[in-house]
Amino acid sequence: MGKLKKVFPVAVLVVLCGLIFFSRLHTYDEPLDRDLTTYAVIAHEMLSGKALYSDLWDHKPPAIHVTYAAAELIAGYGRDSIFLMNITAAVATLLACYWAGSAAGGGRTGGCFAAAFWALASGNLAIEGNQPNTEVFLNACLATAFAILVRKRNLGTWAAVLVGLLFAAASLYKQVVLVQAALLLGAYCLCCESTSRKRAIIDAMIIAAIGAAMWGLVFAYFFMRGSGPAFTEAVFTYNNYYAKSGWNYTVSNFQGWPTVSHDVLAIALSMMVLVIAGLVHGLTFGPRRHWTLLLAFLASTGIAVLLPGWFYWHYHQLWLPPLAIGSGWAIALFRRLLPTTLSALSYSVGGVACAVVVMAQVPDYLAPAEAWSYNKYGIIFLGTDQFAYRLNRLLPPGATFYEWGSETELYFSSQRRPASGILFAYPMLSGPLMDKLSQRLISDLEKSRPDLIIVGKNTLAETNPGHPVIHWFKENYRPFSETDLFILLARKGGTLEAASTSHSTWRASSSTSF
């Protein structure tokens, strides 16, 4: 029996890893959203020798691009590398949830249920959890750091260094996690015994120093490469504007405030009930330390979700690790509180809660991958993906293109390199870098002279007709065809312009206008 108890958690984790693998495999061919393909295209260009921020523009810190580049080196440029990151991050978070869930009296029961809740809920369609956006990597770092804080009352130097590295790495994906790091460290110091308070403060200072050192090295790297000003403008100047504009939009419209869909509630409600019950009992009757840390994790997650000002659904993935871990602890607590003869009821409670999470998602897994994309984003990525493959068949060999919009799936699926490293039009439509990036783009296009310009109709509708990039397009290109999503422009005097006049597929429709 003792040997079975030791083997059982391993068996559970193996089964849950398999569940993650096959559930993610179900949406392997899903048309990818623009965030993922932007990271992949930028990573590919980095590996081809272009410099991040000075040649390739994005407002995210560099960790996500480095991660995608590493995955490409292992699995190649395409969906295999996306799938590799997806599985790796989800399994890493699964192990962290088990590790944290089995601490603080949770034991094997708490660990297994925490891991189960994570595995069952993490790929949810409503929070866009089935693909490797930035949040999946944040969750792996934060859940592991939280597990260490929970398991060690006194970190000591090496554990503090490890936690510092995890928090620093997370902040290099998104700076908002600094709030989570700060509140967790505050709770860690608050919960320590008075005789250990000085040591706890030293641990917190080590963690903060690691984070400062990591960011110092990143700054030094980009300034030594000559990309320092571009790095600070993108990651700090533009992001400050991005968050402010998000909040201004939310306040002025009264429609952007974060809401919770029925689908999200369906998977979160059972965990929320368990966590609230555990928090009430733990903070009232004790021991309070791990419940206080969990409360700090939950509170800081709420702040981190709100900080960017734009309340996208994938931000809510950050709630899952603390909810999963807290649910595992609550079930283990329930088991300890019940009389021995009734302790098995705790497993029934956990099983019912897991069943609720499963049943809420069964219809999604009966639908094909394309339906997932449509249910999450509408037609935009389905249409873009279909057009990318058509584009690749019809463009002459060696022809190049640039898209005025934000649909980087066109480059990713066609496997063609972009004519400029500025992949998103929106920073050129408003914001502090609007003029600088517009002139940079025009300079890039003057050098590369792409055969084809693809203009996203949604982006064009938001673009001032007098915009310098639009003026440059009109001087050098002419419209010759369109789809439901895009207007196609051929370079005047180019081979594509000549080919389009004789190719019926590319012949302009009467409604083509630019």
Side-chain angles (χ1 to χ4, degrees), residues 5-6 8-10 12-13 16 97-118 151 274 324-338 343-351 354:
K5 287 183 178 180
K6 291 181 180 179
F8 180 75
V10 176
V12 169
L13 291 175
L16 293 176
C97 286
Y98 174 82
W99 197 31
S102 61
R108 297 183 182 92
T109 299
C112 288
F113 273 106
F117 279 114
W118 166 258
R151 297 186 74 90
L274 290 169
I325 293 165
S327 297
W329 285 350
I331 293 167
L333 174 64
F334 187 37
R335 182 172 179 271
R336 292 196 305 272
L337 292 176
L338 286 172
S343 61
L345 283 175
S346 62
Y347 299 117
S348 299
V349 172
C354 287

Side-chain angles (χ1 to χ4, degrees), residues 39 60-61 63-64 67-68 85 88-90 92-94 96-97 118 131-147 163 165-181 184 215 297 300-301 304-305 308 314-322 325:
Y39 305 145
K60 296 287 176 59
I64 189 66
T67 302
Y68 269 67
M85 288 182 286
T88 302
T93 311
L94 172 82
C97 286
W118 166 258
Q131 298 292 358
N133 214 318
T134 314
E135 282 68 25
V136 304
F137 306 106
L138 294 180
N139 279 337
C141 293
L142 293 172
T144 305
F146 179 75
V163 172
L165 290 172
L166 288 165
F167 281 149
S171 72
L172 287 169
Y173 286 102
K174 273 190 176 180
Q175 301 102 306
V176 293
V177 301
L178 292 174
V179 173
Q180 289 159 293
L184 281 171
W215 273 94
F297 198 1
S300 60
T301 297
V305 168
H314 58 269
Y315 293 175
H316 295 288
Q317 294 174 38
L318 295 178
W319 290 105
L320 291 183
I325 293 165

